[in-house]
Amino acid sequence: MTLRRRLLGWLADAALILYFVFALFPIAWMVILSLKPANQLFSTYFSFSPTLDGYRTVLGDSEGIPFVRFFVNSLVVSVGAVLLSLLVGLPAAYASARWRFKGSENLMFTLLSFRFAPELTVIIPLFVLYQKLGLFDTYVGMVWVLQLVTLPLIVWIMRSYFADLTPELEQAALLDGYSRKQAFVKVALPLVKPGVAAVSLLAFIFAWNNFVFPLILTSSEAQTVTVGALSFLGGDRPKYNLTAAAALVSVVPPLLLALTIQRYLVRGLSFGAVKS
């Protein structure tokens, strides 16, 4: 029986290792492609002379593609969308957690349905409106449209965090002379900082990775890395090594942000999971 359990354990470990190899192979292949020189791109698989020329080309604008500008654009519009969504979403989440009225759940579900709706269903009306209002290919236009992606996420997740807080804390603050706004800012908000960090990271990743809105609503000035990376695939001969290098560079900000707020992220994702 013991031998059988060991065999099953080894088989389970082997299956888990195979799964991780399968899951991580695309990332490893991207790294390999990004390090390949152009003359060995199609002639070899794993045996090649690694070089950083692909990264130098991507970051140096030698192909006539301003990838660094696209990178900065992504930072600006993603951070802007998250900040705008936090400014609106945190009070909305707090209000929805503390005040219930007839139809409040339907209202919240309607807000969440904006996140469920496919982006292609609204992209044509948005394109027409953006052309008319002068928001096409602008930072303001991209921030405004990306908050449609991040705001429902922030409101729904933070609503559960505020609901887990006992109302007695805010009532005590009100008795001490605080206004409702002061009770929210000075009492409730500091207690959910781990949740704010976690949801901010998730919202940033959703905004950073969005592809459809930048593809249709920008052309050059406000274009983001998700669309800009595909520019290296154009022409007579697609430059897969440059595309791979651009894709790997584009994952740096979300990765660094996750590592920076890792302590808050773990607490935020587990906040309210265990109640006394």
Side-chain angles (χ1 to χ4, degrees):
M1 191 66 179
T2 303
L3 180 59
R4 183 180 178 183
R5 288 182 178 178
R6 287 181 179 177
L7 288 174
L8 291 175
W10 291 339
L11 289 175
D13 292 341
L16 189 61
I17 292 173
L18 287 175
Y19 172 77
F20 275 112
V21 171
F22 172 78
L24 295 177
F25 181 76
I27 301 176
W29 188 251
M30 290 283 285
V31 174
I32 291 172
L33 276 179
S34 69
L35 296 175
K36 277 189 173 185
N39 59 351
Q40 298 181 12
L41 191 59
F42 302 101
S43 60
T44 63
Y45 288 101
F46 299 104
S47 178
F48 60 93
S49 303
T51 177
L52 295 177
D53 289 343
Y55 292 94
R56 296 190 187 99
T57 301
V58 167
L59 298 176
D61 195 17
S62 60
E63 290 288 323
I65 299 173
F67 182 78
V68 174
R69 191 179 73 190
F70 298 155
F71 189 90
V72 174
N73 290 346
S74 287
L75 284 176
V76 172
V77 300
S78 297
V79 172
V82 172
L83 291 178
L84 178 60
S85 298
L86 287 174
L87 183 64
V88 177
L90 289 177
Y94 176 74
S96 64
R98 287 291 179 259
W99 289 281
R100 302 295 177 89
F101 53 90
K102 185 178 181 180
S104 60
E105 293 298 322
N106 293 333
L107 179 63
M108 292 300 298
F109 183 79
T110 300
L111 177 64
L112 185 62
S113 66
F114 296 151
R115 189 68 191 88
F116 290 156
E119 294 166 354
L120 292 175
T121 59
V122 298
I123 195 65
I124 300 302
L126 280 175
F127 177 78
V128 175
L129 286 173
Y130 271 44
Q131 291 281 6
K132 296 291 185 181
L133 298 175
L135 295 175
F136 180 80
D137 200 21
T138 63
Y139 286 154
V140 175
M142 283 306 302
V143 169
W144 185 256
V145 76
L146 287 179
Q147 61 87 29
L148 298 177
V149 177
T150 57
L151 181 60
L153 179 73
I154 288 175
V155 172
W156 265 91
I157 294 180
M158 291 308 303
R159 181 194 190 200
S160 64
Y161 285 98
F162 285 119
D164 284 336
L165 294 179
T166 175
E168 282 76 8
L169 294 174
E170 297 140 62
Q171 292 172 2
L174 294 175
L175 291 176
D176 286 340
Y178 280 35
S179 65
R180 175 60 71 173
K181 178 181 178 181
Q182 290 173 325
F184 165 67
V185 174
K186 297 183 178 181
V187 177
L189 202 55
L191 293 175
V192 296
K193 283 195 299 184
V196 174
V199 78
S200 297
L201 174 62
L202 293 176
F204 179 84
I205 292 174
F206 273 98
W208 182 273
N209 291 338
N210 191 271
F211 178 78
V212 175
F213 288 144
L215 177 66
I216 305 299
L217 300 178
T218 65
S219 60
S220 59
E221 295 300 321
Q223 196 171 100
T224 61
V225 290
T226 52
V227 179
L230 298 182
S231 303
F232 297 105
L233 293 178
D236 298 332
R237 188 176 183 182
K239 302 175 180 65
Y240 295 110
N241 57 335
L242 301 185
T243 305
L248 290 174
V249 170
S250 68
V251 305
V252 172
L255 183 61
L256 290 179
L257 184 60
L259 293 176
T260 302
I261 65 172
Q262 184 179 11
R263 177 167 61 94
Y264 292 104
L265 182 62
V266 173
R267 288 180 58 197
L269 293 177
S270 60
F271 188 88
V274 179
K275 296 181 180 180
S276 57

